[in-house]
Amino acid sequence: MRKKVTVVGAGNVGATAAMRVAEKELADVVLLDVLEGVPAGKALDLAEAAPIEGHDCRIVGCTNQYQEAEGSDIVIITAGIPRKPGMSRDDLLSTNMRIMRTVVSEVAAVAPKSILIIVSNPLDAMCHVAYEASGFPKERVIGMAGVLDSARFRAFIAMELNVSVENIHAFVLGGHGDTMVPISRYSTVAGIPITELISPDRLAAIEKRTREGGAEIVGLLKTGSAYYAPASGAVEMTEAILKDKKKILACAAYLSGEYGIKDLFVGVPVKLGARGVEDIIEIKLNEGERKALNHSAESVRKLVEDMKRLG
Ligand SMILES: NC(=O)c1ccc[n+]([C@@H]2O[C@H](COP(=O)([O-])OP(=O)(O)OC[C@H]3O[C@@H](n4cnc5c(N)ncnc54)[C@H](O)[C@@H]3O)[C@@H](O)[C@H]2O)c1
């Protein structure tokens, strides 16, 4: 049986994710959007690349026809508006909250067994909306942010040391915002802690660049935000689930007391497999790291409360 992945939002992140899913031959893809023509056009364009890229995944695009998503194994949700220069992720809150609610209700009706990978910002808050609107168990609602933030951290470490990105393991925990927490102590280059290879000053600069990684790209692009790496992040999670890899990745997961945090989506290391979040890995944090994680979680909680006020 072929696997099926639906991508809602055929914009920059969504279309790139659809392309990567197909080119990695992970699943057939349905690309959905509110726009007329755009999802169908992008899907057709991708299907026409298939003979050159050498894959047989079927890609279809449609406008608001959620029946096409029926039976999806995974639904990646990128629907929403992206950040513009000077705009914080939180500014997106009220618009994207309403979009997320509509999209997830439609998805849950046709693909009740699917696993949701949420990408739209503000990420952690959107996971809450998706969790509530879907009624899915917490294991099947997962936010993509930590994979991207960790990839940025890894890329910057590789640039600093002029070594292969493949040698680098790094974690960024917390909410997907300015309060995210790069955990240098658990980040390694071929098993060697980066704290032994990079001076504290340089490391602080790399952590800062990681925290501001999204804004750096928004500032350069001027219109819209990053999408190649975010799409890669969503597809790495998709692959881990479809192939039941039991891969440990930093993802926004619903915490029920882990890390001392309750009833909140926050970025932590999780084990991703066929059932979605199969485990939450609790790593030991020192006082500074724990404080930073709590601070980050509090900023997520504030957004969740703001959403309640917005209704
Ligand atoms: N989690 C992360 O790390 C991360 C990284 C990058 C972008 N994002 C977020 O992902 C989202 C998408 O970013 P993008 O660059 O692809 O934006 P984009 O504007 O290129 O695409 C968004 C698409 O969503 C569609 N859309 C809007 N309302 C919809 C609805 N009700 N149903 C279906 N589709 C709808 C739009 O028509 C558009 O095609 C944004 O919210 C952005 O902030 C998150």
Side-chain angles (χ1 to χ4, degrees):
M1 260 295 264
R2 280 164 178 261
K3 298 286 187 185
K4 181 170 174 180
V5 171
T6 291
V7 182
V8 187
N12 284 335
V13 179
T16 311
M19 181 178 83
R20 299 227 158 101
V21 167
E23 289 181 3
K24 284 174 170 258
E25 295 203 292
L26 297 179
D28 289 339
V29 182
V30 176
L31 198 51
L32 253 162
D33 204 289
V34 277
L35 297 177
E36 288 291 340
V38 172
K42 289 191 180 180
L44 183 59
D45 196 7
L46 287 170
E48 290 167 358
I52 305 169
E53 296 300 333
H55 68 79
D56 290 295
C57 293
R58 281 190 292 263
I59 310 169
V60 295
C62 51
T63 303
N64 290 331
Q65 287 164 296
Y66 277 87
Q67 65 274 22
E68 292 288 338
E70 188 177 357
S72 296
D73 297 282
I74 292 183
V75 181
I76 301 173
I77 304 181
T78 74
I81 56 163
R83 265 204 297 175
K84 304 202 171 62
M87 204 176 166
S88 82
R89 291 184 182 90
D90 302 356
D91 293 336
L92 299 175
L93 188 65
S94 74
T95 308
N96 285 356
M97 176 181 86
R98 290 175 216 292
I99 293 174
M100 183 62 64
R101 227 176 251 156
T102 317
V103 166
V104 170
S105 312
E106 298 270 13
V107 164
V110 293
K113 295 196 173 139
S114 60
I115 292 176
L116 306 181
I117 297 179
I118 309 302
V119 180
S120 313
N121 274 321
L123 190 272
D124 310 274
M126 290 306 109
C127 292
H128 273 270
V129 177
Y131 179 53
E132 280 172 13
S134 65
F136 285 6
K138 60 184 181 182
E139 297 76 23
R140 289 201 279 125
V141 180
I142 318 165
M144 191 296 296
V147 177
L148 168 65
D149 299 328
S150 303
R152 285 181 173 148
F153 195 25
R154 290 165 65 193
F156 298 148
I157 294 166
M159 289 173 197
E160 178 77 10
L161 296 173
N162 192 24
V163 297
S164 167
V165 289
E166 289 181 45
N167 282 141
I168 297 167
H169 285 271
F171 266 125
V172 177
L173 306 184
H176 183 52
D178 309 334
T179 58
M180 69 178 79
V181 192
I183 304 279
S184 291
R185 226 163 41 89
Y186 283 112
S187 300
T188 60
V189 179
I192 308 160
I194 57 168
T195 45
E196 290 184 19
L197 299 172
I198 302 176
S199 70
D201 282 3
R202 285 301 307 153
L203 205 46
I206 293 169
E207 289 178 1
K208 181 171 183 292
R209 190 174 181 194
T210 302
R211 274 194 296 272
E212 294 168 2
E216 183 176 1
I217 292 183
V218 171
L220 290 167
L221 295 182
K222 305 280 192 292
T223 52
S225 55
Y227 53 99
Y228 293 118
S232 295
V235 175
E236 184 176 31
M237 291 166 65
T238 301
E239 184 169 23
I241 294 166
L242 292 179
K243 295 185 176 170
D244 192 20
K245 282 175 84 81
K246 320 282 188 202
K247 195 169 190 176
I248 296 180
L249 294 170
C251 299
Y254 189 85
L255 301 185
S256 309
E258 298 90 349
Y259 290 93
I261 299 167
K262 220 167 177 297
D263 305 330
L264 208 60
F265 277 89
V266 178
V268 291
V270 306
K271 191 201 279 180
L272 281 192
R275 288 181 286 118
V277 173
E278 298 196 346
D279 204 2
I280 289 174
I281 316 293
E282 284 198 77
I283 53 175
K284 271 198 192 134
L285 299 179
N286 65 28
E287 206 188 318
E289 292 158 348
R290 182 167 291 280
K291 243 188 178 160
L293 182 63
N294 283 339
H295 175 59
S296 185
E298 278 321 302
S299 66
V300 177
R301 200 178 293 283
K302 187 182 165 300
L303 281 185
V304 173
E305 276 157 19
D306 286 350
M307 286 197 301
K308 279 187 197 143
R309 267 196 300 279
L310 290 166

mmCIF file of all heavy atoms in Angstrom, residues 8-14 32-35 64 66 78-83 92 96 99 102-103 118-121 123 144-145 148 176 225-227 230, ligand 1:
data_model
loop_
_atom_site.group_PDB
_atom_site.id
_atom_site.type_symbol
_atom_site.label_atom_id
_atom_site.label_comp_id
_atom_site.label_asym_id
_atom_site.label_seq_id
_atom_site.Cartn_x
_atom_site.Cartn_y
_atom_site.Cartn_z
ATOM 1 N N VAL A 8 -1.255 20.827 3.605
ATOM 2 C CA VAL A 8 -2.223 21.918 3.521
ATOM 3 C C VAL A 8 -1.461 23.236 3.538
ATOM 4 O O VAL A 8 -0.664 23.494 4.451
ATOM 5 C CB VAL A 8 -3.254 21.873 4.667
ATOM 6 C CG1 VAL A 8 -4.342 22.925 4.424
ATOM 7 C CG2 VAL A 8 -3.880 20.497 4.791
ATOM 8 N N GLY A 9 -1.745 24.056 2.533
ATOM 9 C CA GLY A 9 -0.962 25.278 2.312
ATOM 10 C C GLY A 9 0.045 24.977 1.216
ATOM 11 O O GLY A 9 1.029 24.266 1.455
ATOM 12 N N ALA A 10 -0.257 25.467 0.011
ATOM 13 C CA ALA A 10 0.616 25.176 -1.131
ATOM 14 C C ALA A 10 1.554 26.343 -1.398
ATOM 15 O O ALA A 10 1.900 26.634 -2.530
ATOM 16 C CB ALA A 10 -0.240 24.878 -2.365
ATOM 17 N N GLY A 11 1.948 27.020 -0.333
ATOM 18 C CA GLY A 11 2.869 28.154 -0.466
ATOM 19 C C GLY A 11 4.312 27.672 -0.484
ATOM 20 O O GLY A 11 4.606 26.546 -0.924
ATOM 21 N N ASN A 12 5.195 28.517 0.007
ATOM 22 C CA ASN A 12 6.625 28.206 -0.078
ATOM 23 C C ASN A 12 7.011 26.946 0.697
ATOM 24 O O ASN A 12 7.679 26.064 0.167
ATOM 25 C CB ASN A 12 7.439 29.397 0.447
ATOM 26 C CG ASN A 12 7.488 30.522 -0.563
ATOM 27 O OD1 ASN A 12 7.351 30.305 -1.767
ATOM 28 N ND2 ASN A 12 7.678 31.737 -0.078
ATOM 29 N N VAL A 13 6.597 26.880 1.962
ATOM 30 C CA VAL A 13 6.985 25.703 2.761
ATOM 31 C C VAL A 13 6.240 24.469 2.258
ATOM 32 O O VAL A 13 6.835 23.403 2.069
ATOM 33 C CB VAL A 13 6.678 25.908 4.268
ATOM 34 C CG1 VAL A 13 7.061 24.665 5.062
ATOM 35 C CG2 VAL A 13 7.418 27.126 4.816
ATOM 36 N N GLY A 14 4.932 24.631 2.017
ATOM 37 C CA GLY A 14 4.107 23.487 1.633
ATOM 38 C C GLY A 14 4.547 22.865 0.312
ATOM 39 O O GLY A 14 4.707 21.640 0.215
ATOM 40 N N LEU A 32 -3.071 20.955 -0.860
ATOM 41 C CA LEU A 32 -4.362 21.643 -0.688
ATOM 42 C C LEU A 32 -4.166 23.104 -0.314
ATOM 43 O O LEU A 32 -3.274 23.428 0.469
ATOM 44 C CB LEU A 32 -5.068 20.981 0.492
ATOM 45 C CG LEU A 32 -6.255 20.082 0.255
ATOM 46 C CD1 LEU A 32 -6.505 19.226 1.473
ATOM 47 C CD2 LEU A 32 -7.490 20.917 -0.047
ATOM 48 N N ASP A 33 -5.008 23.968 -0.844
ATOM 49 C CA ASP A 33 -4.907 25.386 -0.489
ATOM 50 C C ASP A 33 -6.282 26.026 -0.690
ATOM 51 O O ASP A 33 -7.169 25.418 -1.279
ATOM 52 C CB ASP A 33 -3.866 26.077 -1.388
ATOM 53 C CG ASP A 33 -3.277 27.334 -0.775
ATOM 54 O OD1 ASP A 33 -4.004 28.349 -0.684
ATOM 55 O OD2 ASP A 33 -2.092 27.316 -0.381
ATOM 56 N N VAL A 34 -6.428 27.246 -0.188
ATOM 57 C CA VAL A 34 -7.667 27.989 -0.481
ATOM 58 C C VAL A 34 -7.584 28.656 -1.849
ATOM 59 O O VAL A 34 -8.601 29.034 -2.423
ATOM 60 C CB VAL A 34 -7.970 29.114 0.552
ATOM 61 C CG1 VAL A 34 -8.654 28.576 1.774
ATOM 62 C CG2 VAL A 34 -6.734 29.906 0.904
ATOM 63 N N LEU A 35 -6.372 28.835 -2.337
ATOM 64 C CA LEU A 35 -6.215 29.515 -3.623
ATOM 65 C C LEU A 35 -6.685 28.638 -4.769
ATOM 66 O O LEU A 35 -6.480 27.426 -4.753
ATOM 67 C CB LEU A 35 -4.740 29.877 -3.852
ATOM 68 C CG LEU A 35 -4.103 30.864 -2.871
ATOM 69 C CD1 LEU A 35 -2.625 31.049 -3.210
ATOM 70 C CD2 LEU A 35 -4.838 32.199 -2.916
ATOM 71 N N ASN A 64 -9.548 23.558 -1.567
ATOM 72 C CA ASN A 64 -10.590 23.299 -0.552
ATOM 73 C C ASN A 64 -11.304 21.950 -0.674
ATOM 74 O O ASN A 64 -12.353 21.773 -0.060
ATOM 75 C CB ASN A 64 -11.663 24.406 -0.598
ATOM 76 C CG ASN A 64 -11.123 25.731 -0.099
ATOM 77 O OD1 ASN A 64 -10.223 25.750 0.734
ATOM 78 N ND2 ASN A 64 -11.642 26.819 -0.617
ATOM 79 N N TYR A 66 -11.317 18.814 0.623
ATOM 80 C CA TYR A 66 -10.695 18.003 1.671
ATOM 81 C C TYR A 66 -10.911 16.511 1.484
ATOM 82 O O TYR A 66 -10.156 15.705 2.027
ATOM 83 C CB TYR A 66 -11.151 18.491 3.053
ATOM 84 C CG TYR A 66 -10.319 19.668 3.495
ATOM 85 C CD1 TYR A 66 -10.665 20.964 3.145
ATOM 86 C CD2 TYR A 66 -9.141 19.469 4.201
ATOM 87 C CE1 TYR A 66 -9.878 22.043 3.504
ATOM 88 C CE2 TYR A 66 -8.343 20.539 4.568
ATOM 89 C CZ TYR A 66 -8.713 21.814 4.228
ATOM 90 O OH TYR A 66 -7.910 22.869 4.577
ATOM 91 N N THR A 78 0.772 23.796 6.751
ATOM 92 C CA THR A 78 1.574 25.016 6.583
ATOM 93 C C THR A 78 0.662 26.187 6.240
ATOM 94 O O THR A 78 1.146 27.248 5.869
ATOM 95 C CB THR A 78 2.620 24.858 5.449
ATOM 96 O OG1 THR A 78 1.939 24.904 4.182
ATOM 97 C CG2 THR A 78 3.375 23.555 5.546
ATOM 98 N N ALA A 79 -0.643 25.971 6.316
ATOM 99 C CA ALA A 79 -1.582 27.029 5.924
ATOM 100 C C ALA A 79 -1.462 28.206 6.867
ATOM 101 O O ALA A 79 -1.325 28.031 8.083
ATOM 102 C CB ALA A 79 -3.009 26.488 5.951
ATOM 103 N N GLY A 80 -1.516 29.383 6.311
ATOM 104 C CA GLY A 80 -1.451 30.573 7.151
ATOM 105 C C GLY A 80 -0.735 31.671 6.418
ATOM 106 O O GLY A 80 -0.459 31.573 5.228
ATOM 107 N N ILE A 81 -0.475 32.723 7.145
ATOM 108 C CA ILE A 81 0.304 33.808 6.541
ATOM 109 C C ILE A 81 1.687 33.790 7.182
ATOM 110 O O ILE A 81 1.814 33.526 8.370
ATOM 111 C CB ILE A 81 -0.396 35.178 6.695
ATOM 112 C CG1 ILE A 81 -0.694 35.492 8.167
ATOM 113 C CG2 ILE A 81 -1.687 35.226 5.893
ATOM 114 C CD1 ILE A 81 -1.002 36.956 8.420
ATOM 115 N N PRO A 82 2.735 34.048 6.407
ATOM 116 C CA PRO A 82 4.086 34.057 6.973
ATOM 117 C C PRO A 82 4.451 35.428 7.549
ATOM 118 O O PRO A 82 3.714 36.386 7.382
ATOM 119 C CB PRO A 82 4.968 33.732 5.769
ATOM 120 C CG PRO A 82 4.221 34.271 4.601
ATOM 121 C CD PRO A 82 2.749 34.249 4.959
ATOM 122 N N ARG A 83 5.588 35.469 8.199
ATOM 123 C CA ARG A 83 6.056 36.732 8.789
ATOM 124 C C ARG A 83 6.563 37.698 7.735
ATOM 125 O O ARG A 83 7.208 37.292 6.768
ATOM 126 C CB ARG A 83 7.230 36.415 9.716
ATOM 127 C CG ARG A 83 6.804 36.259 11.135
ATOM 128 C CD ARG A 83 7.927 36.519 12.079
ATOM 129 N NE ARG A 83 9.030 35.591 11.953
ATOM 130 C CZ ARG A 83 10.154 35.706 12.633
ATOM 131 N NH1 ARG A 83 10.314 36.708 13.471
ATOM 132 N NH2 ARG A 83 11.117 34.827 12.492
ATOM 133 N N LEU A 92 1.265 36.940 14.180
ATOM 134 C CA LEU A 92 0.488 36.085 13.276
ATOM 135 C C LEU A 92 -0.655 35.378 13.994
ATOM 136 O O LEU A 92 -1.483 34.723 13.376
ATOM 137 C CB LEU A 92 1.392 34.990 12.688
ATOM 138 C CG LEU A 92 2.586 35.408 11.850
ATOM 139 C CD1 LEU A 92 3.392 34.185 11.473
ATOM 140 C CD2 LEU A 92 2.118 36.129 10.606
ATOM 141 N N ASN A 96 -3.709 33.210 12.009
ATOM 142 C CA ASN A 96 -3.372 31.801 11.804
ATOM 143 C C ASN A 96 -4.174 30.866 12.714
ATOM 144 O O ASN A 96 -4.437 29.719 12.351
ATOM 145 C CB ASN A 96 -1.868 31.593 11.951
ATOM 146 C CG ASN A 96 -1.126 32.102 10.723
ATOM 147 O OD1 ASN A 96 -1.753 32.534 9.752
ATOM 148 N ND2 ASN A 96 0.185 32.057 10.742
ATOM 149 N N ILE A 99 -7.329 30.191 10.830
ATOM 150 C CA ILE A 99 -7.059 29.315 9.676
ATOM 151 C C ILE A 99 -6.821 27.887 10.165
ATOM 152 O O ILE A 99 -7.388 26.927 9.633
ATOM 153 C CB ILE A 99 -5.838 29.851 8.873
ATOM 154 C CG1 ILE A 99 -6.185 31.185 8.210
ATOM 155 C CG2 ILE A 99 -5.370 28.825 7.847
ATOM 156 C CD1 ILE A 99 -5.023 31.873 7.508
ATOM 157 N N THR A 102 -10.036 25.958 11.165
ATOM 158 C CA THR A 102 -10.832 25.512 10.014
ATOM 159 C C THR A 102 -10.166 24.318 9.347
ATOM 160 O O THR A 102 -10.813 23.295 9.076
ATOM 161 C CB THR A 102 -10.910 26.654 8.952
ATOM 162 O OG1 THR A 102 -11.151 27.865 9.618
ATOM 163 C CG2 THR A 102 -11.954 26.398 7.915
ATOM 164 N N VAL A 103 -8.875 24.461 9.082
ATOM 165 C CA VAL A 103 -8.160 23.405 8.348
ATOM 166 C C VAL A 103 -8.198 22.088 9.134
ATOM 167 O O VAL A 103 -8.509 21.023 8.582
ATOM 168 C CB VAL A 103 -6.683 23.844 8.109
ATOM 169 C CG1 VAL A 103 -5.837 22.676 7.676
ATOM 170 C CG2 VAL A 103 -6.623 24.976 7.092
ATOM 171 N N ILE A 118 2.467 20.072 12.444
ATOM 172 C CA ILE A 118 2.098 21.485 12.360
ATOM 173 C C ILE A 118 3.346 22.320 12.067
ATOM 174 O O ILE A 118 4.399 22.115 12.694
ATOM 175 C CB ILE A 118 1.462 21.950 13.703
ATOM 176 C CG1 ILE A 118 0.333 21.001 14.132
ATOM 177 C CG2 ILE A 118 0.991 23.395 13.608
ATOM 178 C CD1 ILE A 118 -0.796 20.830 13.151
ATOM 179 N N VAL A 119 3.194 23.236 11.107
ATOM 180 C CA VAL A 119 4.323 24.109 10.735
ATOM 181 C C VAL A 119 3.966 25.584 10.915
ATOM 182 O O VAL A 119 4.823 26.407 11.237
ATOM 183 C CB VAL A 119 4.758 23.845 9.270
ATOM 184 C CG1 VAL A 119 5.933 24.739 8.872
ATOM 185 C CG2 VAL A 119 5.147 22.380 9.061
ATOM 186 N N SER A 120 2.692 25.924 10.743
ATOM 187 C CA SER A 120 2.276 27.337 10.769
ATOM 188 C C SER A 120 2.652 28.002 12.094
ATOM 189 O O SER A 120 2.614 27.368 13.151
ATOM 190 C CB SER A 120 0.762 27.441 10.577
ATOM 191 O OG SER A 120 0.339 26.643 9.500
ATOM 192 N N ASN A 121 2.979 29.273 12.026
ATOM 193 C CA ASN A 121 3.371 30.045 13.209
ATOM 194 C C ASN A 121 2.220 30.870 13.767
ATOM 195 O O ASN A 121 1.296 31.184 13.022
ATOM 196 C CB ASN A 121 4.513 30.997 12.820
ATOM 197 C CG ASN A 121 5.860 30.312 12.918
ATOM 198 O OD1 ASN A 121 6.099 29.541 13.833
ATOM 199 N ND2 ASN A 121 6.737 30.609 11.968
ATOM 200 N N LEU A 123 4.248 28.701 16.190
ATOM 201 C CA LEU A 123 4.192 27.245 16.100
ATOM 202 C C LEU A 123 3.561 26.544 17.310
ATOM 203 O O LEU A 123 2.631 25.763 17.152
ATOM 204 C CB LEU A 123 5.628 26.736 15.853
ATOM 205 C CG LEU A 123 5.858 25.280 15.490
ATOM 206 C CD1 LEU A 123 6.029 24.380 16.674
ATOM 207 C CD2 LEU A 123 4.784 24.737 14.558
ATOM 208 N N MET A 144 6.623 21.152 14.142
ATOM 209 C CA MET A 144 7.962 21.217 13.550
ATOM 210 C C MET A 144 8.589 22.567 13.875
ATOM 211 O O MET A 144 8.089 23.605 13.432
ATOM 212 C CB MET A 144 7.872 21.057 12.029
ATOM 213 C CG MET A 144 9.194 20.843 11.335
ATOM 214 S SD MET A 144 10.426 22.167 11.379
ATOM 215 C CE MET A 144 9.600 23.452 10.477
ATOM 216 N N ALA A 145 9.622 22.548 14.654
ATOM 217 C CA ALA A 145 10.382 23.769 14.933
ATOM 218 C C ALA A 145 11.778 23.381 15.400
ATOM 219 O O ALA A 145 12.777 23.841 14.863
ATOM 220 C CB ALA A 145 9.693 24.617 15.992
ATOM 221 N N LEU A 148 14.173 22.299 12.778
ATOM 222 C CA LEU A 148 14.706 23.438 12.020
ATOM 223 C C LEU A 148 15.716 24.230 12.859
ATOM 224 O O LEU A 148 16.821 24.536 12.394
ATOM 225 C CB LEU A 148 13.545 24.350 11.606
ATOM 226 C CG LEU A 148 13.928 25.721 11.047
ATOM 227 C CD1 LEU A 148 14.687 25.577 9.726
ATOM 228 C CD2 LEU A 148 12.683 26.588 10.849
ATOM 229 N N HIS A 176 9.268 27.874 19.801
ATOM 230 C CA HIS A 176 9.867 28.336 18.549
ATOM 231 C C HIS A 176 9.727 29.852 18.507
ATOM 232 O O HIS A 176 8.853 30.394 17.866
ATOM 233 C CB HIS A 176 9.118 27.690 17.382
ATOM 234 C CG HIS A 176 9.709 28.036 16.048
ATOM 235 N ND1 HIS A 176 11.029 27.874 15.753
ATOM 236 C CD2 HIS A 176 9.136 28.529 14.917
ATOM 237 C CE1 HIS A 176 11.242 28.254 14.508
ATOM 238 N NE2 HIS A 176 10.106 28.658 13.985
ATOM 239 N N SER A 225 9.171 34.309 4.585
ATOM 240 C CA SER A 225 10.161 33.780 5.522
ATOM 241 C C SER A 225 10.799 32.519 4.936
ATOM 242 O O SER A 225 10.476 32.104 3.821
ATOM 243 C CB SER A 225 9.492 33.502 6.872
ATOM 244 O OG SER A 225 8.382 32.659 6.721
ATOM 245 N N ALA A 226 11.707 31.931 5.724
ATOM 246 C CA ALA A 226 12.468 30.766 5.255
ATOM 247 C C ALA A 226 11.548 29.622 4.845
ATOM 248 O O ALA A 226 10.472 29.457 5.425
ATOM 249 C CB ALA A 226 13.376 30.294 6.389
ATOM 250 N N TYR A 227 11.966 28.858 3.855
ATOM 251 C CA TYR A 227 11.140 27.698 3.508
ATOM 252 C C TYR A 227 11.903 26.442 3.120
ATOM 253 O O TYR A 227 11.414 25.347 3.323
ATOM 254 C CB TYR A 227 10.103 28.041 2.445
ATOM 255 C CG TYR A 227 10.619 28.692 1.187
ATOM 256 C CD1 TYR A 227 10.834 27.939 0.035
ATOM 257 C CD2 TYR A 227 10.861 30.058 1.142
ATOM 258 C CE1 TYR A 227 11.268 28.541 -1.141
ATOM 259 C CE2 TYR A 227 11.310 30.661 -0.033
ATOM 260 C CZ TYR A 227 11.517 29.906 -1.162
ATOM 261 O OH TYR A 227 11.953 30.508 -2.309
ATOM 262 N N PRO A 230 12.793 24.841 6.604
ATOM 263 C CA PRO A 230 11.564 24.404 7.283
ATOM 264 C C PRO A 230 10.913 23.200 6.599
ATOM 265 O O PRO A 230 10.436 22.277 7.259
ATOM 266 C CB PRO A 230 10.657 25.641 7.194
ATOM 267 C CG PRO A 230 11.611 26.798 7.128
ATOM 268 C CD PRO A 230 12.794 26.304 6.332
HETATM 269 N N1 LIG B 1 7.582 26.107 12.290
HETATM 270 C C1 LIG B 1 8.548 26.670 11.622
HETATM 271 O O1 LIG B 1 9.712 26.489 11.929
HETATM 272 C C2 LIG B 1 8.218 27.507 10.413
HETATM 273 C C3 LIG B 1 9.199 27.823 9.468
HETATM 274 C C4 LIG B 1 8.846 28.558 8.340
HETATM 275 C C5 LIG B 1 7.525 28.999 8.174
HETATM 276 N N2 LIG B 1 6.603 28.715 9.136
HETATM 277 C C6 LIG B 1 5.221 29.140 9.010
HETATM 278 O O2 LIG B 1 4.586 28.310 8.042
HETATM 279 C C7 LIG B 1 3.495 29.015 7.451
HETATM 280 C C8 LIG B 1 3.629 28.955 5.926
HETATM 281 O O3 LIG B 1 4.779 29.664 5.485
HETATM 282 P P1 LIG B 1 5.040 29.864 3.919
HETATM 283 O O4 LIG B 1 6.324 30.571 3.782
HETATM 284 O O5 LIG B 1 4.811 28.593 3.188
HETATM 285 O O6 LIG B 1 3.830 30.876 3.581
HETATM 286 P P2 LIG B 1 3.103 31.071 2.172
HETATM 287 O O7 LIG B 1 2.350 32.345 2.267
HETATM 288 O O8 LIG B 1 4.066 30.886 1.059
HETATM 289 O O9 LIG B 1 2.055 29.856 2.131
HETATM 290 C C9 LIG B 1 0.960 29.761 2.975
HETATM 291 C C10 LIG B 1 -0.178 29.187 2.156
HETATM 292 O O10 LIG B 1 -1.277 28.941 3.045
HETATM 293 C C11 LIG B 1 -2.437 29.161 2.257
HETATM 294 N N3 LIG B 1 -3.622 29.309 3.110
HETATM 295 C C12 LIG B 1 -4.054 30.388 3.780
HETATM 296 N N4 LIG B 1 -5.206 30.115 4.402
HETATM 297 C C13 LIG B 1 -5.507 28.828 4.120
HETATM 298 C C14 LIG B 1 -6.568 27.961 4.467
HETATM 299 N N5 LIG B 1 -7.580 28.378 5.245
HETATM 300 N N6 LIG B 1 -6.565 26.703 3.972
HETATM 301 C C15 LIG B 1 -5.546 26.272 3.186
HETATM 302 N N7 LIG B 1 -4.521 27.038 2.826
HETATM 303 C C16 LIG B 1 -4.495 28.304 3.280
HETATM 304 C C17 LIG B 1 -2.113 30.407 1.460
HETATM 305 O O11 LIG B 1 -2.991 30.566 0.360
HETATM 306 C C18 LIG B 1 -0.682 30.132 1.054
HETATM 307 O O12 LIG B 1 -0.607 29.479 -0.205
HETATM 308 C C19 LIG B 1 3.561 30.437 8.047
HETATM 309 O O13 LIG B 1 2.677 30.536 9.132
HETATM 310 C C20 LIG B 1 4.988 30.556 8.520
HETATM 311 O O14 LIG B 1 5.141 31.513 9.534
HETATM 312 C C21 LIG B 1 6.936 27.979 10.237
#
